[in-house]
Amino acid sequence: MKVVKFGGSSVADADQLRKVTEIIKADPERKAIVVSAPGKRHSKDTKTTDLLIALGESVQINVKNEAVYDQVIERFASIITDLELDYSILNTIQERIDEACALIKTDLKRGMDSLKSCGEDGTALMLSAYLNKRELESSYVNPKDAGIFVSDQPGGALVLDESFDQLFKLREREGILVIPGFFGYTLEGDLVTFSRGGSDITGSIVAAGMKVDLYENFTDVDSVYCVNPMIVDQPKELKTLTYREMRELSYAGFSVFHDEALIPAFKEKIPVCIKNTNNPGGDGTMIVAELPEREGHVAGIASDSGFLNLYVSKYLMNREVGFGRKLLQILEEEGISFEHAPSGIDDMSVIIRDHQLSKEKEECVKERIKKELNVDTISIERDMGMIMIVGEGMNEAIGIAGKATTAFRDAEVNIDMINQGSSEVSMMFGIKAKDLNRAVQSLYRAFF
């Protein structure tokens, strides 16, 4: 038995949904199907979820953008027309969108979550109807009926343990089950979304709950590459990765997978296969629990921009019990989450996603740190980029760091920060964002 998830590019239009149907039809083991909202049909197109967010933001300020509203409805209408489906489906989708817009005016967070979920919900309704039209017994399953229970954190829900016993019961249902991704329900019955890209999370949750043999994730690439193909031309394909490697790579900029998505599948040790909707016969990339056989010790190189470095120094910091806790507590009280916190004897850096600390809030945070911790120096450096070298075999290899720093030197890129995870699966380097591509290309030449 398999759970299959189709991403936004796989369900972008009617032709893609026809391909999805053929993939489902080709393997009777594909029991539960999780879908995203319709994605981009071409490079200049807009994702449905982005349109829904723009619509919600306009409703929020009482100037509903009718042009965007019409675009959303047209996206679904064009698919329904092309697939020759019953127009009652469009009415259902439109009613949900209208209800969510009305809810925004009385409860902004719940209304926005409800509106954002309409893309996935609409796809699931359309695909289920089309499968039945193609004589494949199918039913739409709302996440509440499936048993996907989540914490009450709008825009960042976490799955509750109660979900997994409920999801196991889906094995007993007849036919193909089509489940919208990206959202679940609190135990009180309120709709709440995962973080953006959360359809991957839904797929993994359903796979873990149903205890299936394989979780297939269909996207628009043949496999995972060892480096971003937008930076390096025709990079090496990876046939196998471990869960830990994929999570590290996803966190650090690999856009194939949401960085939280693998956790439920990992706990149940369910293998994951990433495949291409446009080339379903390809081998794809398998993600497994045990270290695969491979040449070399480095599996991949990921990079991402949009970071800042909050640096503080204080003489004899190492003797001051609780300094790190107090610093991080200030960030917590200001609603700021951090990514990494490498430290020295008398200094400490806190790496933060740029959007977490606005320039408006920056002065307030600096003043609090100066006043409450009596530091000697405090500075904030923006426009940082992070590069992560990942591989399960790195902890057994000598000279990985030396090879990497030589590659940075060859690229004439200065390293601002080095941090090796305690798991020894990854090594992270902080540099100026403008130097990212040049550094990644040099690292690729060094390791691959």
Side-chain angles (χ1 to χ4, degrees):
M1 186 179 290
K2 300 176 184 178
V3 166
V4 189
K5 183 260 176 179
F6 291 98
S9 60
S10 301
V11 296
D13 57 24
D15 284 341
Q16 289 299 93
L17 283 175
R18 290 188 183 97
K19 291 179 186 177
V20 165
T21 300
E22 292 303 320
I23 290 169
I24 296 168
K25 188 177 179 180
D27 188 348
E29 290 294 301
R30 290 171 174 145
K31 172 72 174 178
I33 313 299
V34 175
V35 292
S36 295
K40 290 185 177 184
R41 295 161 291 189
H42 48 81
S43 61
K44 295 182 179 179
D45 201 10
T46 305
K47 294 178 180 180
T48 305
T49 303
D50 288 330
L51 291 173
L52 289 166
I53 290 171
L55 173 62
E57 289 172 347
S58 71
V59 172
Q60 181 184 346
I61 57 174
N62 294 315
V63 284
K64 181 181 176 184
N65 191 324
E66 294 293 345
V68 173
Y69 178 85
D70 290 343
Q71 274 185 277
V72 173
I73 302 304
E74 174 55 30
R75 284 298 300 271
F76 291 111
S78 63
I79 296 173
I80 288 168
T81 300
D82 201 344
L83 296 179
E84 298 180 345
L85 301 176
D86 195 307
Y87 258 74
S88 63
I89 298 170
L90 183 62
N91 294 335
T92 301
I93 295 169
Q94 191 163 0
E95 284 171 10
R96 274 216 57 207
I97 292 171
D98 292 342
E99 288 170 4
C101 287
L103 182 57
I104 286 173
K105 296 177 181 179
T106 59
D107 191 331
L108 175 61
K109 287 186 176 180
R110 298 211 183 282
M112 283 298 290
D113 269 21
S114 182
L115 185 58
K116 286 188 294 183
S117 73
C118 290
E120 284 75 10
D121 203 58
T123 302
L125 287 166
M126 293 187 299
L127 178 59
S128 177
Y130 186 63
L131 290 173
N132 281 308
K133 181 182 173 69
R134 294 285 303 275
E135 298 182 346
L136 294 169
E137 183 186 354
S138 169
S139 58
Y140 159 87
V141 183
N142 184 274
K144 182 188 286 187
D145 298 327
I148 300 176
F149 299 118
V150 298
S151 60
D152 194 2
Q153 297 169 261
L158 298 172
V159 67
L160 300 180
D161 290 340
E162 292 91 332
S163 302
F164 296 102
D165 287 341
Q166 294 299 315
L167 286 164
F168 188 75
K169 297 175 184 176
L170 293 178
R171 296 174 64 100
E172 301 167 8
R173 294 204 189 187
E174 294 295 321
I176 298 162
L177 313 177
V178 184
I179 306 168
F182 188 37
F183 68 100
Y185 287 82
T186 66
L187 294 174
E188 292 72 35
D190 293 315
L191 185 155
V192 188
T193 66
F194 298 112
S195 54
R196 189 71 190 269
S199 292
D200 284 337
I201 300 175
T202 302
S204 186
I205 290 167
V206 174
M210 293 181 69
K211 299 187 186 300
V212 295
D213 302 306
L214 180 67
Y215 168 36
E216 294 179 309
N217 191 298
F218 279 84
T219 178
D220 56 3
V221 293
D222 281 338
S223 61
V224 176
Y225 298 97
C226 64
V227 69
N228 186 343
M230 299 294 286
I231 299 176
V232 173
D233 187 41
Q234 295 184 320
K236 180 182 175 183
E237 292 184 13
L238 294 171
K239 295 302 180 185
T240 52
L241 283 166
T242 67
Y243 294 117
R244 291 201 303 173
E245 288 173 336
M246 192 68 225
R247 170 151 165 70
E248 296 272 3
L249 290 168
S250 297
Y251 162 77
F254 267 43
S255 59
V256 175
F257 244 116
H258 189 295
D259 64 310
E260 298 174 17
L262 288 172
I263 296 170
F266 165 71
K267 288 180 177 177
E268 292 295 328
K269 291 189 166 45
I270 294 168
V272 180
C273 187
I274 298 172
K275 304 194 78 170
N276 189 347
T277 304
N278 303 310
N279 181 27
D283 293 334
T285 298
M286 287 294 297
I287 304 172
V288 296
E290 300 300 322
L291 176 66
E293 291 288 330
R294 71 157 70 96
E295 294 180 19
H297 301 284
V298 174
I301 303 166
S303 60
D304 204 3
S305 57
F307 294 90
L308 63 84
N309 178 19
L310 170 65
Y311 172 82
V312 296
S313 68
K314 184 178 182 180
Y315 183 57
L316 297 179
M317 179 194 293
N318 64 316
R319 293 193 185 181
E320 189 173 329
V321 177
F323 182 90
R325 175 186 57 78
K326 292 171 188 173
L327 174 59
L328 297 179
Q329 186 173 339
I330 290 173
L331 298 180
E332 180 184 352
E333 290 170 358
E334 295 293 336
I336 299 165
S337 64
F338 75 100
E339 305 295 319
H340 309 277
S343 62
I345 298 172
D346 291 328
D347 56 8
M348 182 173 180
S349 289
V350 184
I351 308 301
I352 301 168
R353 293 275 180 182
D354 197 73
H355 66 84
Q356 287 282 334
L357 179 57
S358 66
K359 294 198 174 177
E360 293 75 24
K361 191 182 283 188
E362 182 178 312
E363 286 307 314
C364 170
V365 170
K366 287 169 74 173
E367 282 303 314
R368 283 197 62 184
I369 292 171
K370 284 179 187 176
K371 183 177 178 181
E372 297 174 33
L373 301 181
N374 194 28
V375 298
D376 299 325
T377 306
I378 178 169
S379 64
I380 291 177
E381 183 180 8
R382 293 183 180 269
D383 299 319
M384 295 280 293
M386 293 291 154
I387 294 178
M388 188 178 282
I389 299 174
V390 176
E392 290 272 11
M394 283 170 46
N395 62 336
E396 300 171 359
I398 296 171
I400 296 291
K403 201 171 186 179
T405 53
T406 299
F408 281 104
R409 183 201 65 194
D410 292 345
E412 298 182 345
V413 172
N414 189 50
I415 300 170
D416 294 325
M417 184 273 290
I418 302 177
N419 189 29
Q420 178 153 13
S422 56
S423 66
E424 297 186 339
V425 175
S426 65
M427 188 177 295
M428 177 169 282
F429 300 87
I431 63 173
K432 300 291 186 294
K434 64 182 177 61
D435 296 328
L436 272 178
N437 286 10
R438 196 165 74 253
V440 169
Q441 289 161 0
S442 184
L443 287 164
Y444 180 80
R445 286 192 294 272
F447 287 103
F448 294 101

